[in-house]
Every structure is written in structure tokens, then in C-alpha cells.
């Protein structure tokens, strides 16, 4: 009987220890869940901040690009005014030395008569290159150099008879 009483006490003590351990584990589980929730919120805030930084950076880049384009357009307009005010032959001499892309951009912004007068004095190869660049920008294909072709109706001379 005494042994049974001691067993009961031991079992009660073990049950109390298990209950105490269960409560401790539940408390730890709740703390872990709270930490996970907190870390999830922090991650979401961080991701939001990163997206905001990316969009700000993109907006800054777009603004910078727009400013650069506006500045280039201003410079090109100034060149157009300058070349339009010059005598066509003098302007053409400078066009011969200009980068093809710059020359094309200037010609595109000039009025047709002024551009035509200047282009008539530009080196013929340079004028062709500029014209091809303009045509390509407007969707036309640039002319490809043709290889030497024989007319279809042309017949080869008959072989010589001996």
C-alpha cells in the first residue's frame, strides 16, 4: 500500500512536471509565433521600402533622360539656326566634317528649302549617307550596293569557231 502511495505521489509529481513543461512550451510557441509575425511585418516593410526606392530611382532616371533629351534638342535647334543663317556653301563645308548622325538630326529639323540648298553643296557620298539615314529613320530601307548583274535578255556571245 505504501508503495502504491509513493507511486501515486511520483505519478502526480511527474504529471505536474509534464503540465509545467507543456505550459512552458506553449508560452515559447506563442513567443515564436509573435516573433514570426513581427519578422513578416518587417520583411513586408523592407520590401515596400525597396520598391519605393526602385520607383524613385526610376523616376529620377526618367527625369534625367528627359532633361538630357531636352538639352540635346536645344543644342540641335541652335545648330539649325546657325546653319540656316549661313550661306549654303559655307554650311555644306561644315556638314562635310560633321558626324553623320548629327548631320542627319540637323537636316531633319531644318526647313526643306534650306536643307536642300545646303545638301546640294555637301560631298556627294556624305549627302547620300545622310539621306539614307533619314530614309531609314522614316521606315524606308537604305539602298544596298548592287552587285554587278547581267541583263536578263543579254545572251552570252557564242563560242568562237575554229
Amino acid at each position: 500500500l505504501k508503495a502504491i502511495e509513493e507511486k501515486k505521489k511520483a505519478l502526480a509529481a511527474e504529471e505536474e512536471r509534464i503540465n509545467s513543461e507543456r505550459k512552458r512550451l506553449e508560452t515559447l510557441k506563442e513567443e515564436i509565433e509573435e516573433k514570426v509575425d513581427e519578422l513578416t511585418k518587417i520583411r513586408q516593410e523592407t520590401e515596400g521600402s525597396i520598391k519605393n526606392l526602385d520607383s524613385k530611382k526610376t523616376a529620377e532616371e526618367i527625369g534625367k533622360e528627359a532633361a538630357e533629351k531636352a538639352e540635346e534638342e536645344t543644342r540641335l535647334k541652335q545648330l539649325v539656326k546657325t546653319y540656316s543663317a549661313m550661306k549654303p556653301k559655307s554650311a555644306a563645308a561644315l556638314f562635310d566634317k560633321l558626324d553623320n548622325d548629327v548631320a542627319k538630326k540637323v537636316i531633319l529639323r531644318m526647313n526643306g528649302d534650306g536643307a536642300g540648298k545646303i545638301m546640294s553643296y555637301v560631298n556627294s557620298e556624305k549627302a547620300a549617307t545622310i539621306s539614307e539615314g533619314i530614309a531609314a529613320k522614316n521606315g524606308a530601307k537604305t539602298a544596298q550596293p548592287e552587285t554587278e548583274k547581267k541583263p536578263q535578255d543579254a545572251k552570252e556571245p557564242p563560242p568562237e569557231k575554229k
Side-chain angles (χ1 to χ4, degrees):
L1 205 56
K2 196 174 187 183
I4 294 177
E5 276 301 314
E6 285 180 19
K7 278 250 183 193
K8 267 186 170 180
K9 285 181 183 179
L11 286 174
E14 183 65 21
E15 188 177 341
E16 190 176 318
R17 187 189 65 75
I18 290 173
N19 286 335
S20 174
E21 186 67 20
R22 183 176 292 140
K23 285 180 184 178
R24 189 179 74 77
L25 288 174
E26 286 177 8
T27 303
L28 286 174
K29 180 182 175 186
E30 289 173 6
E31 288 176 9
I32 289 172
E33 287 174 353
E34 288 174 9
K35 293 286 184 188
V36 167
D37 289 343
E38 186 178 329
L39 289 173
T40 302
K41 287 178 186 176
I42 291 171
R43 187 188 81 219
Q44 290 171 347
E45 289 172 4
T46 303
E47 288 173 352
S49 296
I50 289 171
K51 287 179 184 177
N52 286 340
L53 286 175
D54 287 345
S55 65
K56 284 181 184 177
K57 185 177 180 182
T58 303
E60 288 174 8
E61 289 172 353
I62 291 170
K64 186 177 180 181
E65 288 173 7
E68 288 172 358
K69 285 182 180 182
E71 187 177 324
E72 179 186 14
E73 189 62 33
T74 301
R75 288 192 307 265
L76 287 169
K77 284 180 181 178
Q78 183 60 42
L79 282 174
V80 167
K81 284 181 185 177
T82 303
Y83 287 122
S84 295
M86 296 174 72
K87 292 184 179 180
K89 195 170 190 175
S90 299
L94 294 174
F95 263 83
D96 284 335
K97 296 176 185 174
L98 273 181
D99 173 73
N100 290 338
D101 191 46
V102 174
K104 176 183 72 171
K105 288 177 181 179
V106 171
I107 288 292
L108 281 170
R109 284 164 179 78
M110 294 181 82
N111 74 36
D113 291 339
K117 289 176 183 174
I118 292 172
M119 290 291 281
S120 69
Y121 289 104
V122 173
N123 170 298
S124 61
E125 288 180 22
K126 178 86 169 190
T129 302
I130 293 169
S131 297
E132 287 174 353
I134 291 170
K137 180 178 177 99
N138 293 329
K141 293 185 178 178
T142 57
Q144 298 294 322
E146 291 193 23
T147 55
E148 207 172 300
K149 295 180 183 176
K150 292 182 183 178
Q152 290 179 348
D153 295 335
K155 295 181 181 175
E156 301 229 358
E160 288 184 29
K161 294 182 181 176
K162 292 185 181 179

